[in-house]
Amino acid sequence: MSKSVPSPCIDVCKFRRGGHCIGCSMTKTQKSMFKSLKKAEHQKAFVDMLLAQQNVMGKFSHWAPAYARKCLKKGAKPPVKLKSLKKAG
């Protein structure tokens, strides 16, 4: 039995930027879609798609470390390799 993948939502939930959450980049429709995915492989593919979306939109460098912490807290391995980010400055 495969483990479920934690939701990419990092509990910011402010929909700006053309209807996309400023925390995770998901739209309300995408959030509902993720909840309907039952197979871990589909959830992992969704997270891959979300990373690509964040790369196109830009300004989501805060998401990867927050999501990694969420996965750790839930006892799950992050479904994708998250880049370790260096602090700017």
Side-chain angles (χ1 to χ4, degrees):
M1 186 168 125
S2 61
K3 269 193 161 181
S4 183
V5 173
S7 169
C9 175
I10 57 170
D11 298 324
V12 173
C13 301
K14 293 187 180 181
F15 296 92
R16 298 182 183 133
R17 298 187 76 185
H20 291 266
C21 176
I22 62 172
C24 64
S25 84
M26 288 191 288
T27 62
K28 289 180 181 181
T29 302
Q30 287 173 324
K31 282 183 168 248
S32 295
M33 186 185 305
F34 183 83
K35 290 176 185 177
S36 72
L37 299 174
K38 302 299 179 204
K39 293 184 177 181
E41 63 198 52
H42 296 158
Q43 294 168 337
K44 289 176 185 179
F46 185 94
V47 174
D48 281 334
M49 178 279 305
L50 194 65
L51 281 169
Q53 178 173 292
Q54 290 173 355
N55 286 334
V56 169
M57 293 179 72
K59 298 187 180 182
F60 284 97
S61 61
H62 61 278
W63 178 83
Y67 185 60
R69 283 190 302 274
K70 180 178 184 174
C71 290
L72 182 64
K73 185 177 178 180
K74 293 193 174 269
K77 182 179 175 188
V80 294
K81 185 174 180 177
L82 301 172
K83 294 178 186 176
S84 56
L85 303 170
K86 295 180 182 177
K87 286 189 177 182

